[in-house]
Amino acid sequence: MPVTTAPEATAETGSRSPVKLSMLDKLLPVWIGLAMVAGLLLGRTIPAFGPALDAMSIGGISVPIALGLLIMMYPVLAKVRYDRLDTVTSDRRLLASSLVLNWLLGPAIMFALAWTFLPDLPEYRTGLIIVGLARCIAMVIIWNDLACGDREAAAVLVALNSVFQVLAFGLLGWFYLDLLPGWLGLTQSGLDVSVWTIVVNVLLFLGIPLAAGFLTRKLGERAKGRTWYEDRFLPKIGPIALYGLLFTIVILFALQGDAIIGQPLDVARIALPLLVYFALMWAGSFALGKTIGMGYERTTTLAFTAAGNNFELAIAVAIATFGVTSGQALAGVVGPLIEVPVLVALVYVSLWARRFFTAKQLSSRQATR
């Protein structure tokens, strides 16, 4: 599960060569667990810490969380070989599968789970539906990299999700929170979200680190060559991704420590449909990729990009529409608190599942068209 060692694709097969993991990588679940505990302790033992973090927000977006995500994503996007993106964009089955999973099945499954598990809690139900509409364009990058997925494919799919996020988020919000409940005779809160909120979210959480990663590779290879860039430079910046991840987790748990500890039953009720959702989306997507003949790396990328959600956008929309203390906002916050440990566990499941792929299917350059 390499973060600091950053193994690269070999010229012959395109698959990543195995390396010995550092102690930092081997103990990743421990570091994440400690980050969660540290966040909770900070939020509970220093009363002014949470309000101070809340004050550092612009347009409903937490500046500390944004900073942590940008630090986390930059090294991973700097590893992408942008001159190979055409091998992904020409893979029609991968692109079509991702669009169907993210924009047809994902929101529909979350809608069904929200109404099944939370029929008597409309605020939490609405918050979960908003989470289901916000497809992941940020943290999924690091889960994919930890599971040795296809970096180039991940870059293309999150960019594709970004485009559809701008075009479809508001429309799907109207469909799932207004139109469909009316057809089914259900009562549901509506959603009023500006396109500008979505555009800002996309530019901030994908545009900035993507541009930084692209320029770093372009300028680095031009100055020193690809061998120096991948063998010398990338291993030096690799640990930054983990530090950004741990920082983000600490901030998230510090911000919501009171809600997590003070409303454990509510958090548990919100968590249950989320657990089912992540399991269904990941397992179904992984099975689909394997069934239609994708190699391990692109199957893994398909699974993680379908299972993850853009909690930054979901929280920002919930706060802007319903208020910072609303049940909708709490449901949005519980999303990443459940997603982080679950998807970390799925990283290990994914690496274990490599045994079910042939040697040829372990190559990211295997033709899947």
Side-chain angles (χ1 to χ4, degrees):
M1 195 164 59
V3 175
T4 59
T5 48
E8 294 302 321
T10 61
E12 294 79 10
T13 66
S15 59
R16 297 184 209 178
S17 55
V19 295
K20 184 177 180 180
L21 300 184
S22 69
M23 187 59 65
L24 189 66
D25 298 327
K26 290 178 179 178
L27 297 179
L28 180 62
V30 176
W31 307 138
I32 289 177
L34 290 175
M36 293 176 178
V37 173
L40 288 174
L41 291 176
L42 280 173
R44 296 290 291 179
T45 59
I46 306 177
F49 191 71
L53 291 176
D54 277 331
M56 292 186 286
S57 62
I58 301 175
I61 296 176
S62 169
V63 173
I65 291 177
L67 179 63
L69 288 170
L70 293 177
I71 294 172
M72 177 191 74
M73 292 176 64
Y74 163 68
V76 181
L77 289 170
K79 296 174 186 177
V80 173
R81 289 181 171 178
Y82 293 93
D83 56 348
R84 292 182 176 174
L85 293 184
D86 60 327
T87 65
V88 181
T89 56
S90 60
D91 189 346
R92 296 181 180 178
R93 285 198 291 179
L94 174 66
L95 299 182
S97 298
S98 179
L99 288 176
V100 170
L101 289 167
N102 276 286
W103 297 101
L104 292 180
L105 292 182
I109 289 174
M110 187 67 88
F111 176 85
L113 290 173
W115 274 98
T116 299
F117 286 93
L118 303 171
D120 57 329
L121 297 171
E123 289 191 359
Y124 297 156
R125 187 174 65 236
T126 298
L128 280 186
I129 293 173
I130 295 173
V131 170
L133 299 178
R135 313 312 300 168
C136 196
I137 62 170
M139 197 171 281
V140 68
I141 293 286
I142 199 166
W143 306 137
N144 177 74
D145 204 57
L146 290 170
C148 297
D150 188 318
R151 290 173 185 148
E152 289 72 35
V156 170
L157 293 185
V158 295
L160 190 65
N161 276 345
S162 298
V163 173
F164 271 79
Q165 203 143 232
V166 173
L167 298 175
F169 186 90
L171 179 62
L172 288 175
W174 167 75
F175 178 78
Y176 282 106
L177 294 175
D178 288 315
L179 187 62
L180 185 57
W183 286 349
L184 299 176
L186 305 172
T187 302
Q188 180 67 55
S189 301
L191 180 65
D192 181 19
V193 56
S194 70
V195 174
W196 178 243
T197 298
I198 304 170
V199 171
V200 169
N201 188 272
V202 169
L203 290 176
L204 178 63
F205 294 114
L206 179 62
I208 293 176
L210 185 61
F214 174 79
L215 289 175
T216 300
R217 177 173 280 276
K218 185 176 181 66
L219 296 177
E221 288 189 356
R222 179 182 296 175
K224 298 281 190 174
R226 175 162 289 188
T227 299
W228 172 87
Y229 182 83
E230 295 187 345
D231 294 345
R232 302 283 297 277
F233 178 73
L234 288 181
K236 290 182 179 178
I237 67 170
I240 297 174
L242 177 57
Y243 302 149
L245 173 63
L246 297 178
F247 174 80
T248 304
I249 291 171
V250 170
I251 297 300
L252 281 170
F253 276 74
L255 281 169
Q256 297 300 323
D258 287 338
I260 296 169
I261 297 174
Q263 305 177 61
L265 293 180
D266 287 353
V267 171
R269 289 202 60 181
I270 297 169
L272 185 55
L274 283 169
L275 286 170
V276 176
Y277 172 82
F278 292 133
L280 285 177
M281 289 299 295
W282 188 92
S285 303
F286 197 91
L288 174 63
K290 181 71 169 64
T291 300
I292 64 178
M294 289 184 186
Y296 168 78
E297 293 185 5
R298 289 192 179 173
T299 294
T300 297
T301 300
L302 180 67
F304 279 101
T305 52
N309 290 90
N310 185 354
F311 62 82
E312 308 88 6
L313 176 60
I315 293 171
V317 169
I319 290 175
T321 306
F322 303 103
V324 68
T325 60
S326 66
Q328 291 89 342
L330 176 60
V333 169
V334 172
L337 304 187
I338 302 302
E339 178 177 335
V340 168
V342 170
L343 292 192
V344 167
L346 290 175
V347 166
Y348 283 95
V349 174
S350 183
L351 293 172
W352 170 82
R354 284 188 295 185
R355 67 189 65 193
F356 299 110
F357 291 81
T358 65
K360 183 179 179 181
Q361 289 177 322
L362 291 175
S363 169
S364 64
R365 311 303 165 206
Q366 180 202 9
T368 56
R369 294 182 294 281

